[in-house]
């Protein structure tokens, strides 16, 4: 078995040296300012040992990676009734697409495309004020990562609120079918703010450990979800976590993973490790270009693909 620390250090050196960095997201003006030269990686094994390299301690905007955690929270609140409000099939469409909503009565294909994540946020919001719902999401992240310093970048949230016309269209369109229950502005406000949570690779890998270990943090023994639920969340990440790039990600990397337009990817090697990578430049599907290559390299060198070596 290759040494994890060595592999992680090698990957960081290789990624930092590559000229092909992808393009940073520009549709959220605050994200356009991020330097595409960054690369960070953190891997936490079953014993809690952390292998980290590059910019693993630099906070970045987690964006859609937050949707793994809002899905977990919403399932905790309403259980399998959630699947009446959102599907669990890959969309084969870009993350911000609206086309399927018309044909499928306003029910989004899965919880990771924007429409689906907005519907999930609406479930968390129900019965609460926006500030309370957002506080619950943030505290959940802080609890999972065991780190109270995790915060929301208000400038990013406001930047997206000012320019999020597509998300507003998706939310209003779902509202017309009754899929969104709360005032659209409230739901969108919470959604933009949870996407604007900033975390480091190390914090993100910490937060997601329960998904690599049958729903439990293996160090504290604390159970976050049942083993069955962890398995199912991982299944949705594998099939839908990279939008219309999900098939290619499974083919190349072979791990459940969730990307965000901030350039982060959270991935799970079941029973082995919780992983976070960050490289701000994106590919055409809006997934981190070098993040994917780094994970592909890691899975290959460690023999971690869930489909076998
Ligand atoms: N893919 C993403 O990370 C998209 C999240 C972003 N906040 C949006 O709604 O457009």
């Amino acid at each position: 078995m290759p040494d994890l620390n060595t592999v992680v250090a090698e990957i960081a050196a290789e990624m930092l040296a590559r000229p092909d960095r992808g393009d940073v997201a520009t549709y959220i003006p605050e994200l356009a300012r991020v330097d595409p030269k960054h690369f960070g990686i953190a891997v936490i094994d079953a014993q809690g040992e952390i292998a980290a390299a590059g910019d693993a301690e630099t906070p970045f905007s987690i964006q859609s990676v937050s949707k793994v955690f809002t899905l977990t929270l919403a399932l905790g609140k309403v259980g399998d009734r959630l699947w009446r409000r959102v599907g669990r099939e890959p969309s084969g469409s870009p993350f911000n697409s609206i086309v399927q909503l018309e044909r499928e009565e306003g029910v989004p294909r899965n919880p990771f495309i924007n429409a689906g994540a907005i519907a999930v946020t609406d479930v968390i919001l129900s019965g609460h004020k926006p500030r309370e719902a957002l506080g619950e999401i943030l505290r959940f992240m802080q609890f999972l990562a065991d780190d109270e310093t995790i915060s929301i970048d208000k400038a990013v949230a406001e930047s997206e609120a000012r320019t999020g016309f597509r998300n507003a269209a998706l939310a209003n369109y779902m509202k017309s079918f009754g899929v969104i229950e709360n005032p659209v502005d409230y739901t969108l406000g919470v959604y933009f703010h949870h996407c604007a949570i900033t975390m480091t690779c190390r914090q993100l890998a910490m937060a997601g450990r329960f998904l690599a270990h049958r729903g439990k943090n293996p160090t504290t023994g604390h159970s976050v979800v049942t083993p069955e639920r962890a398995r199912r969340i991982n299944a949705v990440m594998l099939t839908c976590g990279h939008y219309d790039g999900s098939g290619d990600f499974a083919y190349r990397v072979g791990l459940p993973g969730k990307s965000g337009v901030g350039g982060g990817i959270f991935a799970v090697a079941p029973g082995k490790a919780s992983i976070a990578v960050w490289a701000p430049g994106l590919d055409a599907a809006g997934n981190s270009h070098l993040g994917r290559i780094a994970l592909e390299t890691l899975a290959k060198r460690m023999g971690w693909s869930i489909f076998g070596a």
Side-chain angles (χ1 to χ4, degrees):
M1 174 71 85
D3 175 59
L4 181 59
N5 277 299
T6 310
V7 170
V8 163
E10 281 168 5
I11 290 173
E14 286 164 28
M15 296 305 130
L16 285 163
R18 279 179 78 122
D20 55 325
R21 308 207 71 85
D23 301 308
V24 298
T26 53
Y27 77 99
I28 301 174
E30 263 321 282
L31 295 184
R33 296 156 41 137
V34 178
D35 185 348
K37 291 204 181 67
H38 286 294
F39 176 83
I41 179 167
V43 184
I44 307 182
D45 70 12
Q47 286 70 45
E49 297 293 330
I50 305 181
D55 300 318
E57 300 291 344
T58 308
F60 61 91
S61 189
I62 68 168
Q63 292 295 321
S64 289
V65 182
S66 62
K67 297 170 183 177
V68 175
F69 303 95
T70 51
L71 171 63
T72 305
L73 268 182
L75 283 169
K77 278 183 191 295
V78 300
D80 284 341
R81 277 185 294 138
L82 182 72
W83 304 117
R84 293 186 205 153
R85 300 272 289 274
V86 63
R88 46 175 191 262
E89 290 294 344
S91 70
S93 305
F95 64 88
N96 56 6
S97 172
I98 199 168
V99 289
Q100 272 154 351
L101 288 180
E102 179 166 21
R103 287 199 299 270
E104 297 171 11
E105 293 177 357
V107 177
R109 272 289 173 98
N110 67 65
F112 294 151
I113 52 172
N114 285 10
I118 293 167
V120 167
T121 301
D122 191 65
V123 168
I124 297 173
L125 178 55
S126 284
H128 301 280
K129 296 195 171 78
R131 201 167 1 98
E132 293 165 354
L134 191 58
E136 185 179 0
I137 297 167
L138 184 61
R139 280 193 302 277
F140 187 51
M141 297 306 299
Q142 292 171 337
F143 161 73
L144 290 174
D146 191 20
D147 192 333
E148 285 180 5
T149 67
I150 294 167
S151 64
I152 293 171
D153 186 330
K154 293 246 166 56
V156 171
E158 280 158 19
S159 175
E160 186 167 7
R162 270 197 310 279
T163 56
F165 303 112
R166 276 210 192 209
N167 287 322
L170 295 171
N172 278 289
Y173 201 58
M174 289 189 286
K175 179 88 176 166
S176 76
F177 288 97
V179 171
I180 297 293
E181 289 176 353
N182 297 283
V184 163
D185 286 353
Y186 287 14
T187 303
L188 280 176
V190 176
Y191 171 79
F192 291 144
H193 281 79
H194 77 61
C195 286
I197 291 173
T198 64
M199 291 171 77
T200 66
C201 288
R202 189 179 48 75
Q203 289 168 333
L204 196 52
M206 279 292 285
R209 288 189 76 198
F210 71 99
L211 289 169
H213 304 286
R214 298 169 53 81
K216 263 191 189 173
N217 178 321
T219 303
T220 62
H222 193 281
S223 171
V224 181
V225 295
T226 62
E228 180 178 58
R229 183 160 289 163
R231 169 166 56 76
R232 289 173 163 175
I233 294 169
N234 287 337
V236 182
M237 280 206 286
L238 183 78
T239 52
C240 310
H242 285 73
Y243 317 111
D244 46 342
S246 299
D248 193 55
F249 188 83
Y251 178 89
R252 291 175 187 272
V253 179
L255 299 175
K258 181 74 207 84
S259 70
V261 289
I265 304 178
F266 164 68
V268 166
K272 301 196 169 74
S274 173
I275 307 157
V277 294
W278 173 50
L282 309 178
D283 64 18
N287 300 314
S288 174
H289 171 67
L290 289 181
R292 193 266 298 156
I293 294 171
L295 288 170
E296 184 175 0
T297 311
L298 179 70
K300 194 167 165 182
R301 292 189 193 163
M302 298 306 295
W304 280 351
S305 165
I306 62 170
F307 302 108

